[in-house]
Amino acid sequence: MSSNSEPPLRPHYPGCYRPLAPGFIRVFELEPGNPADPIVGRLVSQAIDGEAYEAVSYVWGDPRQRRDITVNSETLSVTANLHGALTAFRHHLLPGRPQVRRLWADALCINQDDVPERTAQVELMGSIFKGALRVLAWLGWEEGEEARQHTLNAIRFIHSFMEDPETGLQEARILLLHHDVSVTGPPSRLAMLSEDDRRQFEDQAGKWEAVKFFFETRYFHRAWIVQEVGLAREAILYTALKPPDDSENCNSLLLDSIDWQLVGQFVKFLDYRAASLVTHLGLMSWVAHHIWMVWEKAEDGTPECDFLTAMHWVRILGVTDARDRVYSLLGHPCATFDGQLIIHPNYTVTRGVVYTQLAANIILKTKDLYAVTLVDHEVDPCELKREWDPGDESRMPSWVPDWHSINRTTPIDWAQPTAGPEDIGIEIEGGIEGIQGTMMPHLLVRGWVVDEIVAVSHRMETTDFPVTNLTREMAKGNPFWLDRVWDLVFPPDRREGCDALTVLEALSLALPFGTREKDQPASKVGPQQNLAEHQRSFAAYVLDYHNLRQTIASADDGEGLGYAPPGSLYDSLPEEARAELRRRAHGATSEGFLECMTWPSMCRVVYRTASGSVGIGSRITRPGDLVCRVPGARVLMTLRQIAGYNDGPSTIPCVFVAPTIVPARMKMSDEDFSENSVRFRII
């Protein structure tokens, strides 16, 4: 085309999509009708703060399953799930008062084929949901009467449970107490319970099965809903029994609903007070809790969750486009710096470039390395390529979190930052534009090598943690895990002259990211125990494991101990340490410690350093990794030396493995590191 040619014509779109002025949106005016009637309505444009509307939150669903609707007298194809939402919300009007319903739904109100428009509207979506009169969250059709009954039972149970959650939790603990009861398994252990226990067990099992079904609903597992319900003035979750295919004579729908605020309070309580119950029953309620945490506020009204942590919490949720893990949260109050968006949508570069630009920009603006502490590698970072490749979506430096990988860990949150001045020596060398064949950027920082890792445990799983019975213990992937970890951090050949109780306390604090401050909670996750309460519940936990071991030995001549390490933690302690544990455990239960350590320890490892310190870190940690302290980081770093760079003896080329905690080394001051600093080149 020559320079004198006509400008390219605007692509042909359905006539219902007219160009939008800046700050304008489209609203769908939906005509009333019965379930079998065609969906009919019109799109009208208005200023985003114009006439009132309701926003629809839903899962797009299978793009191949589509239904036709009529918009501005034209036929438009939408996904079956959006069609279901429009059917349900069209019908749910005041009886005897036919009226249009003004709705905003992304796939309908944004021209998805117009990339510039889609990009502009994505930036506005936070304002769209925040400005809506209410958010109508469509969970999808209930497929049959059984599914509807599960949903109704879950909704009723959540309402009743939250009237007195502590009592509800105590009643549910029968499901933990009788781990191996099976109604169907031969021989059934159900008959072994008393009549009252059996009745309570069956009642609780039925209620929590309904809760399990409810939170497996696909709606809760989609990233875009996070800001859709989080920004809402009011968000109500709706579902309804799917009308039969032959529904010409169906004139009514009965919608089942529950308020999102109540759901959020329920899942928060479960995660903080009943982690062992959640993991034992395989509940997906924690996914909904991740959504809730993104929007929690402190007492002064400021957000408790920053933008990067918000992205970490929602990385378990599904997206069609990995870049939307960033863009779907741009309505978050922490998504701006100095009034400008933290990053602008760009669908022309890979997710690796988007994530790198986000992390690099925040690090340079804040002189804070918190972004780096959210790294959770799925594979060994030494195997990663070191040049940009636009054809590789996942390529990025080792120090950048891959928010599209599965979230397996809780962010490490230490009560007292270990960093010195946060503006010291943080540089990023190289380009972040993702240009083919150029080197990915290096993170250059100064710091100190604190210790070297010499031994690493197996990866810990939530199923390892509860103390139950022999049958359950033998079914674990890591039976008697506490004894095994103890042998690693306090091996027999190193016990001479060592204070076993000090090592044990370090282990107990590492597992829940605990603090040594007596007047502070031992952990921010789970029950808010102070140090004394933490010590008592951990002592009870150690004794629970010892008693299980003793019960096995007396019941079957020790046959079950073939699954255990040669010695137990308790038996390895000197008598004065055992006496202290018994004193602490008197009148205490292990529940507090178990609830505090379940989420932090999940999918992590315990390790021992060359100096004998105890730490907790990433599942890819291995002997030889360095534990390092870097000003600007709130916790210690695990770094792994690599070859191929020669910056002199005072620079260590390395890859970033993970954030880490070593309780005995967390509170060292800058004066402790006044000498022997090195420069880390993190690839």
Side-chain angles (χ1 to χ4, degrees), residues 332-564:
H332 193 275
C334 293
T336 59
F337 273 128
D338 299 327
Q340 299 296 316
L341 275 179
I342 205 167
I343 192 170
H344 291 276
N346 182 355
Y347 290 98
T348 67
V349 294
T350 67
R351 84 168 192 256
V353 174
V354 172
Y355 296 172
T356 301
Q357 290 175 347
L358 176 65
N361 288 337
I362 290 179
I363 288 171
L364 293 176
K365 285 178 180 292
T366 64
K367 298 299 182 181
D368 186 290
L369 294 172
Y370 177 63
V372 178
T373 68
L374 296 174
V375 170
D376 180 28
H377 289 297
E378 290 285 326
V379 297
D380 191 326
C382 289
E383 300 173 3
L384 300 177
K385 304 295 184 182
R386 298 173 189 173
E387 293 181 347
W388 283 119
D389 178 4
D392 185 348
E393 278 287 327
S394 64
R395 190 166 296 188
M396 63 194 79
S398 69
W399 51 270
V400 174
D402 184 357
W403 285 286
H404 194 55
S405 67
I406 296 174
N407 172 21
R408 298 185 188 275
T409 58
T410 299
I412 292 181
D413 188 6
W414 190 260
Q416 291 187 341
T418 63
E422 294 185 350
D423 59 351
I424 296 178
I426 299 175
E427 301 176 46
I428 293 177
E429 184 180 278
I432 60 175
E433 294 78 20
I435 299 173
Q436 173 80 46
T438 61
M439 292 296 294
M440 290 186 291
H442 298 173
L443 178 64
L444 304 176
V445 294
R446 295 202 67 84
W448 300 267
V449 176
V450 174
D451 219 330
E452 181 178 342
I453 295 170
V454 297
V456 180
S457 76
H458 287 97
R459 188 178 83 173
M460 297 179 288
E461 304 289 353
T462 56
T463 52
D464 293 338
F465 306 144
V467 184
T468 57
N469 53 55
L470 175 60
T471 303
R472 185 77 173 183
E473 201 68 33
M474 290 190 302
K476 293 179 179 179
N478 191 17
F480 295 95
W481 77 279
L482 189 61
D483 291 341
R484 297 175 189 276
V485 167
W486 181 245
D487 279 348
L488 179 132
V489 300
F490 199 55
D493 61 354
R494 295 176 60 92
R495 292 173 185 172
E496 186 70 29
C498 292
D499 185 345
L501 203 57
T502 298
V503 178
L504 188 60
E505 189 157 281
L507 174 62
S508 79
L509 289 170
L511 291 168
F513 309 159
T515 176
R516 289 181 178 272
E517 299 299 322
K518 293 183 179 180
D519 58 347
Q520 293 180 338
S523 172
K524 291 187 177 181
V525 179
Q528 298 294 289
Q529 300 185 118
N530 60 32
L531 181 60
E533 292 167 336
H534 166 81
Q535 290 174 335
R536 295 180 66 219
S537 62
F538 178 69
Y541 187 72
V542 172
L543 289 178
D544 282 351
Y545 251 120
H546 177 67
N547 292 335
L548 172 62
R549 194 179 182 111
Q550 294 298 101
T551 301
I552 295 169
S554 62
D556 62 5
D557 298 324
E559 180 183 349
L561 291 177
Y563 290 85

Side-chain angles (χ1 to χ4, degrees), residues 49 187 193 263 275 300 310 334 406 570 584 604 622 646 666:
D49 57 354
L193 302 181
V263 172
D300 62 1
C334 293
I406 296 174
Y570 182 82
R584 293 179 181 182
R604 284 195 162 98
R622 68 189 191 200
N646 185 13
M666 294 302 292

Side-chain angles (χ1 to χ4, degrees), residues 115-254:
V115 175
E117 177 183 301
R118 180 159 62 100
T119 300
Q121 291 284 292
V122 164
E123 288 197 14
L124 291 176
M125 283 183 68
S127 299
I128 290 170
F129 279 90
K130 190 174 182 179
L133 186 64
R134 69 181 58 84
V135 171
L136 311 174
W138 176 242
L139 303 186
W141 293 116
E142 297 159 334
E143 300 284 349
E145 288 290 350
E146 183 178 359
R148 179 158 194 258
Q149 195 58 52
H150 273 312
T151 301
L152 287 174
N153 288 344
I155 290 173
R156 291 168 184 154
F157 177 66
I158 292 171
H159 275 281
S160 64
F161 184 94
M162 292 308 295
E163 291 176 2
D164 186 0
E166 290 293 345
T167 299
L169 178 56
Q170 289 304 314
E171 292 174 350
R173 290 200 184 279
I174 194 171
L175 300 177
L176 285 170
L177 183 63
H178 300 289
H179 280 274
D180 302 302
V181 168
S182 170
V183 176
T184 59
S188 174
R189 288 173 51 98
L190 196 61
M192 299 172 61
L193 302 181
S194 69
E195 184 177 345
D196 286 345
D197 281 353
R198 184 166 63 249
R199 187 182 303 111
Q200 183 183 353
F201 180 89
E202 291 174 334
D203 176 65
Q204 288 293 313
K207 290 175 177 176
W208 287 97
E209 181 62 29
V211 171
K212 177 178 172 65
F213 174 87
F214 182 74
F215 286 107
E216 288 174 354
T217 301
R218 190 178 179 188
Y219 177 83
F220 295 112
H221 301 262
R222 173 179 169 264
W224 278 101
I225 73 165
V226 176
Q227 71 174 9
E228 294 171 3
V229 297
L231 289 170
R233 302 177 190 176
E234 177 187 27
I236 304 175
L237 312 181
Y238 289 98
T239 182
L241 181 65
K242 186 176 183 179
D245 293 335
D246 181 18
S247 58
E248 288 83 359
N249 298 320
C250 180
N251 297 320
S252 64
L253 281 177
L254 183 60

Side-chain angles (χ1 to χ4, degrees), residues 295-305:
W295 304 100
E296 285 201 287
K297 295 181 179 179
E299 292 183 2
D300 62 1
T302 58
E304 284 197 340
C305 187

